[in-house]
Amino acid sequence: MSGAEIVIKALADQGVDVIFGYPGGAVLPLYDALFKQNSVRHILVRHEQGAVHMAEGYARSTGKTGVVLVTSGPGATNAVTGLTDALMDSVPLVCLTGQVPTHLIGNDAFQEADTTGITRPCTKHNYLVKHVDDLSRAMHEAFYIARAGRPGPVVIDLPKDIQFAEGDYLGPDEITHRHYRPQTVGDPARIAEAVDLIAGAKRPIFYIGGGCINAGPEACKAVTEFVRATGYPATATLMGLGAFPASSPQWLGMLGMHGTYEANLAMHGCDVMVAVGARFDDRVTGRIDAFSPGSKKIHIDIDPSSINKNVTVDVPIVGDVGAVVGQMLESWKKKNPQIDGKALEKWWGQIDSWRAVDCLHYEQGQAPSEAIKPQYAIDRLYQLTKDRDAFITTEVGQHQMWAAQFYRFDKPNHWMTSGGLGTMGYGLPAAIGVQIGNPDALVIDIAGEGSTMMNIQELGTMAQYNLPVKVFILNNMWLGMVRQWQELLHGGRYSETYSAGLPDFVKLADSYGMTGLRANQPDQVDDVIKQMLETPGPVIVDMVVSQEENCFPMIPGGSAHNEMLLGANDHQEQTKTEDGMVLV
Amino acid sequence: MAVLVDNEPGVLARVVGLFSGRGYNIESLTVATVSEDESSSRINLVTSGTPMIIEQIKAQLGRLVPVQDVHDLTEEGPHVEHELALIKIVNAGSERREALRIADIFRARVVDTAVDSFVFSLTGSPEKIESFLELMRNLGDVEIARSGVVAIQRGEKRKKDV
């Protein structure tokens, strides 16, 4: 068997049915092998970054490992942003990169790049296969490593001569990693300690992160069951949305920089915090020395390095969320603890008073002269699609935060966004990947006009495969989030944030043979959304929204959870400290 | 710190890259194969930081796929630390005799002699080597090669696979 055939056989044996890629000189043998088989489908992208985001969207919506195939040199370097994104958001990927033949490595050959060197800090692990006999092992180990423990991207660099070389194939059952076995089951003593702490809480909160989603739908079910069993309030990070149903009365909304008033104040004022698969990211904690000062913290995470990294916790539990929460639930049921109902009632009373502030409130005038509020557009999109089990992806910026605030998720794996890296241009290719993995589903990319332009070339991929993705652009003609920071922190000096030179998105859609729709007035919003949903095939919606709208609530850089800005009139009160300014 | 790793290409780059990427400090680092079948190497690494940072370093190292085991020898109790230094000193006359006398006191071995130079080999704690160097620097032109610290836990307990 040739090296290229070994790769394809390994993919098939790993259950891979689709890969996202772009051909080139150093992967010609692989593309030749692809041509001669039927088990693996190839999706031709328009840029390698797009391929990686598609694989991410595919992986996150299906729970499978995403696979990417790119050529050497520029193919590999173009994939770097996507790989970093997958690393930050713990998405299981295997990325195959072509490489110049082994005898040319180090010679500055045509389209040579030190791929393993470049991708070392932006992958969970990587391989350079120098002998065809090592190829099966690298392939199967890569799939294992991508999924085991905290998931992440794995690169396999494949020199062209290895793809041609003849070697023996070993199946997945014949290969195990020598020693990489992340701990999945929690320490029972810690679990008992945590359960006692949770049972005795007076002002508790569950802080749910993307780790729950990564642990799978069963783990999310266990988390939901545990939260319900306690009757305690729950919030989630941007990455954790959908792990706990937003329709539950115990749901407080997202927390963090643009999280809800009630979620952030509950985090600030709680006495017991249960962090489940969350990593105390700076977008979540705000000013770290003022983060939830009076609470005992329980932290469940599969990655030991996430524990005590940003915030010191009282009860660390290393393990898989599904396993650990299962253990906790069992212990909880066995103990059937007496919780302090009176204290809990008081706590909910306090939370209800924060809820009454209605921090996500916006005013949408209905007169034709009024501008469409972006919040209104997303609100209506949610209302008109909530019964359709839609998959939502986003780009990065204001629209992303509004989507997180106004679109409500009851199920995991339906929300795909670039959280850790904040990669503009993520949403369109991710939506394509989601659609490939879920051909009959409604897939919507909630986008901004700025981010959309960053991977706009993938419209070509959408067109080629006639994917019915709906690109829902909130067009405010500004790089809105940066403009907002310039307004609030840099004296309204809008340096280079105006979106000049934009295409006419309706005509753009037309030129790709897609449907383009536009709404300029509030009373057109519903009609356009309905039309978008009724139109088969790909649709681009140009939702022309208010240019001035800012995303609130907001915890400015360097501020604590209880120093939130609720609206535009609030911002004079904020102290513009140097410390706050240097934070991003 | 003793870090047992798979003996494969790029593993040292991973460890070093982790330290530079996350802003930790490496004071010294040595690496060599230690298993009979040459499949594992041991990295001896000296670093510094607050207890929280040291805990992070251990967790981050443990997260690297080719890392088998991480031990903080400073934390884990009594251990032996040793370093090897080769010191070349160029001098003449009474200074040359004095260098030889001090080398004798420190139990440094003469491993090379020329008309106007010695090469001493000295093993011991980094402090011992430091004080030897301080004296030598007064006695001529000194060139130094140091191995960095290697360390092992005292007693019978044996670290996995080593």
Side-chain angles (χ1 to χ4, degrees), chain A residues 39 70 92 207 274 309 319 321 431 454 459 486 551:
Chain A
S39 52
V70 299
Y207 154 39
V274 191
K309 179 170 66 182
V321 165
M454 278 229 189
L459 288 177
Q486 287 173 336
C551 189

Side-chain angles (χ1 to χ4, degrees), chain A residues 122-205:
Chain A
C122 65
T123 53
K124 186 172 172 190
H125 194 53
N126 62 19
Y127 296 87
L128 169 59
V129 181
K130 284 186 165 169
H131 303 283
V132 71
D133 296 334
D134 299 334
L135 187 51
S136 304
R137 170 167 291 277
M139 289 295 297
H140 296 308
E141 272 189 12
F143 277 88
Y144 168 70
I145 289 168
R147 305 193 60 84
R150 182 173 174 179
V154 179
V155 161
I156 308 177
D157 204 20
L158 298 164
K160 197 171 179 182
D161 54 334
I162 303 297
Q163 298 171 37
F164 277 122
E166 290 291 321
D168 293 327
Y169 174 72
L170 294 173
D173 301 337
E174 297 169 79
I175 284 163
T176 48
H177 195 275
R178 270 175 63 198
H179 55 80
Y180 185 69
R181 310 265 184 286
Q183 181 181 345
T184 52
V185 179
D187 174 357
R190 292 286 198 196
I191 294 204
E193 202 183 333
V195 167
D196 287 344
L197 198 55
I198 295 170
K202 294 184 189 309
R203 299 185 311 280
I205 189 163

Side-chain angles (χ1 to χ4, degrees), chain A residues 305 307-310 312, chain B residues 1 18-19 22-26 47-61 70 72:
Chain A
S305 76
I307 288 170
N308 291 335
K309 179 170 66 182
N310 301 330
T312 314
Chain B
M1 231 171 246
L18 188 158
F19 274 75
R22 295 189 183 263
Y24 309 137
N25 210 18
I26 298 179
T47 184
S48 56
T50 62
M52 201 162 158
I53 288 177
I54 299 292
E55 193 195 344
Q56 255 306 292
I57 292 175
K58 282 197 288 187
Q60 293 289 353
L61 283 169
V70 183
D72 181 353

Side-chain angles (χ1 to χ4, degrees), chain A residues 37 207 265 274 293 295 306 344 361 370 373 376 391 400 557:
Chain A
Q37 55 83 50
Y207 154 39
L265 286 190
V274 191
S295 63
S306 282
L344 193 60
H361 180 77
E370 296 269 354
K373 291 279 171 102
Y376 176 71
F391 289 82
Q400 177 190 28

Side-chain angles (χ1 to χ4, degrees), chain A residues 120 126 178-179 303 305, chain B residues 6 13-14 56 63 65 68:
Chain A
R120 203 169 281 131
N126 62 19
R178 270 175 63 198
H179 55 80
D303 176 6
S305 76
Chain B
D6 294 348
R14 275 179 222 286
Q56 255 306 292
R63 202 155 83 107
V65 174
Q68 299 168 17

Side-chain angles (χ1 to χ4, degrees), chain A residues 247-308:
Chain A
S247 54
S248 162
Q250 287 164 262
W251 173 245
L252 303 188
M254 181 176 75
L255 83 164
M257 186 173 271
H258 294 288
T260 65
Y261 190 64
E262 51 270 32
N264 284 328
L265 286 190
M267 285 288 279
H268 190 79
C270 68
D271 73 337
V272 173
M273 177 189 297
V274 191
V276 195
R279 61 184 178 91
F280 296 90
D281 174 80
D282 57 78
R283 297 289 105 157
V284 159
T285 60
R287 201 173 89 220
I288 203 94
D289 57 5
F291 173 69
S292 193
S295 63
K296 292 270 186 200
K297 298 172 187 77
I298 299 163
H299 188 186
I300 304 165
D301 206 297
I302 198 153
D303 176 6
S305 76
S306 282
I307 288 170
N308 291 335

